[in-house]
Amino acid sequence: MSSAAEQEVAGDQAAEDGRPAVVVNGARRAAVPPAVPAWPGTPVPLGARFRTGPDQVAGTNFALWAGGAESVELCLFDGPGPGGRESRVRLTELTHEIWHGFVPGVGPGQRYGFRVRGRWDPWTGARWNPAKLLLDPYARAVDGDFSLPPEVYGHVRDWPEQHVADTVRDDRDSAPYVPKGVVVHDGGPDDEWTYDRRPKTPWADSVIYELHVRGFTKLHPGVPEELRGTYAGLAHPAAIEHLTRLGVTAVELLPVHQFAHESHLLERGLKNYWGYNSIGYFAPHAAYAASGTTGEQVGEFKRMVRALHAAGIEVILDVVYNHTAEAGELGPTLSLKGIDNRGYYRLQPDARRYADYTGCGNTLHVVQPHVLRLITDSLRYWVTEMGVDGFRFDLAAALARSMHDVDMLSPFLAVIAQDPVLRRVKLIAEPWDVGSGGYQVGAFPPLWTEWNDRYRNSVRDFWRHALPDVREMGYRLSGSSDLYAWGGRRPYASVNFVTAHDGFTLRDLVSYERKHNEANGEGNRDGTDDNRSWNCGAEGETDDEEVRALRRRQLRNLLTTLLLSTGVPMLVAGDELGRTQGGSNNAYCQDNEISWVDWSLLDDPQWRPLFELTSRLIALRHEHPVLRRRAFFSGRAHSADGLRDLAWFTARGTEMTERDWYAPAATLGMYLSGRDIPGRDERGAAIVDDSFLTVLHAGDRPAGFALPGPPWAQRYEVVVDTSRERQADAPGGTHPAGTEITVPARSVLLLRVVG
């Protein structure tokens, strides 16, 4: 049936139902080249796979799930760039809603897309439009950029009746304006390894470092200019050296799936920098590849993973399976929307509209088997073929929804739990979404760890002296047992963080009380207003050395608290250097010096000590198992002398009572016993470590603290003193138990028991 005829049928049906008729746009199309014949091929695997077919003929098998579609055409493009001559191949084989065919002679480097025909009736959620070239959801490489002109929208954007604009089909061809998938070779030299060779750092021993592939090396002086901001740049020895000197065990990469920029950003001359707008779940984002060769980003990404693994560093991907770049009913038609809108997305009872639990216009319908298959196939691909070690799931509560409510027995969580590949990797949930009942911190099942925003909020509030009492702080420092001590979960279920990509940097947290997002062009309305920050007496940069010194001390306090807490610490790239975003707490569209790591700070005498302290604290974690426990504290005595694995002390040197926990306090002492740590080492021996006393003092004046005596200790020595700019300048010697020491204003003391 012709395009016009299809629209006439849809229009007639709409008229019968009393809805505005869908009319023909009237745009002219270029002539279509003669069709290329296809052999039947196979329905699995999905996507494009180069292989040897019948009679040893080389070619590529193409397979696309398109439930409800009337027909599917494979479109092959020759030549480089966004254009190229288009040849079409009708996929006539249909198996279990999968359209498939084998095309002889098509090999690696071939650029392609799909056109899918079906009903156009947005009122029922049907948005098929063969004028729109669609990206293969399984494409493993993408060539070109999404520029989002009117031609890439399935509906007419400038229709005079705006209230029904999304129901009027646009017949203009989008092929010249959208990226194409690229056929990738499966057996190249970068495939000569297996995923079992990756590092396997136990969760309790992990220290995560969140970074942006582009921003981390864009200004790095030790990385060759042509490699800066790329996968190859992150793999460069100069970049890896910083990670190893710091001592982190894993990098958590902001999204590297192929993503698109939102139209409202492009209209303002900006781009999506963070990348939380995915459109290709198998393809490494092409703009992060140093090589301009089509499809080379796959090999470059694999080499980056290998280089990090060789340094003992795991690779965790921040993944966005909750929504796609196609947004809502007014968004572009790039892939899933044109393949089967009703099959891939959650729709409202009014099927013209999308159910939006993400704040991004749409939500993937994960309870659908083919959507669940897309996600799990993608995850397994990144593990088994690309070599990554785990995933942080953006807005994971949206993935855990069954039909409407968040359900910890949902199909997605059930499939992950039984999958022989995925249940072995690191799984991190961002345990919330924007829908009703979406806040699920502490609710995810075993196997999962979670971003713990209650840790973030408590630590921020403590150091700006805004907590009403210290109950919350006690839970957060000791592993958040109130949230995670169920179902066999361990303290490392809590990923502790003070800052993340979303929000202030650590330096800005102590320099600004208000967000400054003017550069985003949204009138400073974007970004949260709940920053829980304190500017130490002046808003923004200042020449007041007293304020600047206090800010550096606060940075040391925050980092020391994070790295001495039980759980898995997560740092943000550049926080150990004092990186600033000028007060922006929502730099998602700032691909410039606002977001890039400023490596000159590493040589600045003002900020170098912060890096040295951070690396020292990470080294202490690695050296002392009492600082990275694998089991929750019991708080009970495990020996005849009454020594417990965890004890809390007031500034008087007495153990905390129930009343003390409810009283306002600026000083808190936490004693960790290394005498009886649960578990055994690899040879079955008991784990024994030093014992430590951590004293946190958020008051703005020095305070006395009486050191607990026997059975806790005979003497103590100071290991870390955050009141000192350089730890090497701290006075040596020991302090007898029972004596009162002076704790400087706004500082942390870490004392080791030495007798």
Side-chain angles (χ1 to χ4, degrees):
M1 186 181 293
S2 70
S3 173
E6 289 172 342
Q7 292 214 12
E8 287 169 4
V9 169
D12 291 344
Q13 182 62 49
E16 290 175 8
D17 295 344
R19 296 167 293 178
V22 178
V23 301
V24 180
N25 185 282
R28 296 176 60 85
R29 289 196 199 163
V32 178
V36 177
W39 297 352
T42 61
V44 291
L46 290 168
R49 286 300 178 100
F50 175 67
R51 62 178 176 83
T52 301
D55 302 323
Q56 299 300 304
V57 175
T60 299
N61 191 83
F62 294 90
L64 177 74
W65 183 91
E70 296 173 1
S71 66
V72 172
E73 288 179 305
L74 167 68
C75 305
L76 305 175
F77 295 85
D78 60 9
R85 190 176 70 93
E86 177 183 350
S87 299
R88 298 187 185 179
V89 182
R90 184 79 176 266
L91 299 183
T92 58
E93 300 296 322
L94 180 61
T95 305
H96 304 310
E97 299 186 316
I98 297 173
W99 299 82
H100 54 92
F102 178 85
V103 185
V106 169
Q110 174 66 58
R111 299 157 65 243
Y112 72 99
F114 293 105
R115 298 183 188 271
V116 182
R117 296 180 181 274
R119 289 193 315 121
W120 174 265
D121 186 11
W123 301 94
T124 63
R127 292 182 179 269
W128 283 286
N129 185 343
K132 308 307 167 184
L133 185 75
L134 307 174
L135 183 67
D136 179 6
Y138 280 73
R140 291 180 293 161
V142 175
D143 180 49
D145 293 322
F146 291 95
S147 57
L148 303 189
E151 287 83 355
V152 305
Y153 290 80
H155 62 280
V156 181
R157 296 191 72 192
D158 56 357
W159 191 253
E161 297 182 56
Q162 290 298 314
H163 66 287
V164 293
D166 69 285
T167 67
V168 182
R169 197 175 80 174
D170 186 303
D171 271 350
R172 288 173 289 187
D173 188 2
S174 70
Y177 310 101
V178 294
K180 281 72 176 175
V182 181
V183 178
V184 174
H185 201 296
D186 286 327
D190 294 302
D191 292 316
E192 295 174 359
W193 59 283
T194 66
Y195 71 95
D196 283 326
R197 298 180 190 175
R198 67 187 187 277
K200 294 182 176 67
T201 303
W203 258 126
D205 301 342
S206 297
V207 178
I208 298 173
Y209 189 78
E210 187 193 45
L211 67 82
H212 189 286
V213 168
R214 178 170 168 81
F216 186 67
T217 62
K218 187 61 180 173
L219 299 176
H220 199 301
V223 175
E225 188 171 355
E226 65 274 14
L227 301 183
R228 294 177 189 172
T230 68
Y231 305 120
L234 181 53
H236 191 273
I240 291 179
E241 180 189 19
H242 181 78
L243 301 173
T244 56
R245 287 170 61 197
L246 191 58
V248 298
T249 67
V251 291
E252 182 176 304
L253 307 182
L254 267 67
V256 296
H257 289 163
Q258 185 70 39
F259 63 86
H261 306 292
E262 293 90 332
S263 59
H264 69 90
L265 292 178
L266 295 173
E267 290 166 1
R268 297 202 301 270
L270 299 171
K271 291 185 177 181
N272 187 316
Y273 172 68
W274 287 349
Y276 290 90
N277 206 37
S278 300
I279 195 62
Y281 290 129
F282 289 76
H285 189 60
Y288 297 160
S291 172
T293 305
T294 301
E296 175 56 23
Q297 59 263 38
V298 177
E300 187 176 325
F301 185 93
K302 290 181 179 181
R303 292 190 291 274
M304 176 198 72
V305 172
R306 278 213 303 267
L308 289 164
H309 283 180
I313 298 171
E314 294 180 307
V315 179
I316 298 171
L317 302 187
D318 196 335
V319 290
V320 188
Y321 294 111
N322 55 79
H323 76 280
T324 75
E326 293 185 300
E329 60 272 9
L330 298 179
T333 298
L334 307 174
S335 181
L336 306 181
K337 185 180 287 187
I339 294 171
D340 188 341
N341 184 58
R342 294 178 298 189
Y344 277 107
Y345 293 115
R346 291 179 180 267
L347 303 180
Q348 295 183 19
D350 168 12
R352 174 185 166 192
R353 313 291 185 187
Y354 292 75
D356 183 9
Y357 297 109
T358 67
C360 300
N362 65 55
T363 307
L364 279 179
H365 202 357
V366 179
V367 298
Q368 295 279 18
H370 50 275
V371 180
L372 189 58
R373 178 181 180 181
L374 170 67
I375 295 173
T376 53
D377 282 354
S378 167
L379 292 169
R380 281 190 293 269
Y381 171 77
W382 286 96
V383 175
T384 60
E385 297 195 40
M386 302 296 271
V388 307
D389 306 282
F391 305 93
R392 178 265 187 187
F393 293 82
D394 180 67
L395 300 182
L399 299 173
R401 290 182 181 270
S402 290
M403 294 311 295
H404 299 289
D405 296 333
V406 178
D407 178 6
M408 292 305 159
L409 298 176
S410 66
F412 172 74
L413 295 178
V415 167
I416 295 292
Q418 60 80 41
D419 189 282
V421 172
L422 301 180
R423 69 189 182 200
R424 297 175 55 195
V425 303
K426 286 183 164 66
L427 303 170
I428 306 171
E430 183 183 37
W432 51 77
D433 63 21
V434 302
S436 175
Y439 187 76
Q440 295 290 323
V441 172
F444 275 72
L447 289 184
W448 287 83
T449 64
E450 300 176 17
W451 270 26
N452 187 351
D453 68 329
R454 288 183 61 178
Y455 179 94
R456 175 198 64 196
N457 295 345
S458 299
V459 172
R460 289 185 179 193
D461 283 346
F462 179 83
W463 284 112
R464 66 189 183 108
H465 208 186
L467 283 178
D469 53 53
V470 291
R471 287 175 297 159
E472 184 81 4
M473 193 65 173
Y475 276 122
R476 303 308 147 235
L477 291 171
S478 59
S480 296
S481 60
D482 59 327
L483 300 176
Y484 302 112
W486 63 273
R489 301 186 83 183
R490 301 296 183 92
Y492 46 78
S494 176
V495 174
N496 299 330
F497 66 102
V498 179
T499 57
H501 66 276
D502 188 0
F504 281 147
T505 67
L506 204 66
R507 178 174 166 183
D508 289 352
L509 187 68
V510 300
S511 303
Y512 296 89
E513 291 190 5
R514 302 183 303 277
K515 64 187 181 184
H516 295 268
N517 299 334
E518 291 81 5
N520 293 355
E522 300 175 36
N524 205 35
R525 295 182 299 272
D526 59 304
T528 183
D529 292 313
D530 184 20
N531 294 297
R532 299 173 189 246
S533 59
W534 177 52
N535 64 20
C536 298
E539 184 72 3
E541 296 302 307
T542 177
D543 294 329
D544 188 327
E545 184 51 42
E546 185 176 341
V547 171
R548 295 167 66 177
L550 177 56
R551 288 175 176 176
R552 294 195 297 273
R553 180 181 295 198
Q554 286 289 81
L555 291 182
R556 296 193 293 272
N557 291 335
L558 291 163
L559 283 169
T560 301
T561 304
L562 174 65
L563 291 167
L564 295 182
S565 297
T566 301
V568 178
M570 185 187 78
L571 301 165
V572 178
D575 274 355
E576 76 281 10
L577 306 176
R579 184 178 76 87
T580 177
Q581 292 181 168
S584 172
N585 73 352
N586 190 33
Y588 77 105
C589 56
Q590 298 299 324
D591 186 5
N592 50 46
E593 288 83 355
I594 291 176
S595 298
W596 303 338
V597 174
D598 180 1
W599 291 97
S600 69
L601 297 169
L602 190 58
D603 298 321
D604 188 330
Q606 179 181 202
W607 298 109
R608 175 75 185 189
L610 189 64
F611 169 79
E612 294 171 347
L613 173 64
T614 307
S615 59
R616 184 180 183 196
L617 288 165
I618 293 174
L620 280 171
R621 282 189 70 91
H622 293 326
E623 293 166 8
H624 294 285
V626 73
L627 299 177
R628 45 184 172 82
R629 285 174 56 103
R630 288 167 165 75
F632 286 107
F633 297 97
S634 70
R636 296 188 296 271
H638 291 276
S639 58
D641 59 11
L643 188 68
R644 294 190 295 280
D645 56 1
L646 173 67
W648 301 95
F649 291 91
T650 68
R652 302 183 302 274
T654 58
E655 288 192 66
M656 299 274 288
T657 65
E658 187 74 11
R659 174 177 292 182
D660 291 326
W661 284 112
Y662 284 86
T667 308
L668 181 64
M670 179 177 66
Y671 183 96
L672 304 180
S673 173
R675 184 188 297 183
D676 188 13
I677 300 174
R680 296 184 292 173
D681 65 18
E682 294 178 351
R683 298 183 179 181
I687 300 174
V688 179
D689 192 13
D690 294 329
S691 297
F692 290 91
L693 174 67
T694 303
V695 181
L696 302 97
H697 177 54
D700 56 8
R701 295 181 179 180
F705 191 94
L707 298 174
W712 310 104
Q714 298 291 338
R715 300 183 69 82
Y716 298 86
E717 68 172 350
V718 177
V719 178
V720 173
D721 178 356
T722 63
S723 71
R724 306 280 177 170
E725 194 87 40
R726 297 179 180 275
Q727 295 306 299
D729 297 336
T734 61
H735 300 279
T739 61
E740 182 175 284
I741 62 173
T742 299
V743 183
R746 299 191 185 277
S747 66
V748 180
L749 295 181
L750 177 66
L751 303 101
R752 178 169 27 217
V753 173
V754 293

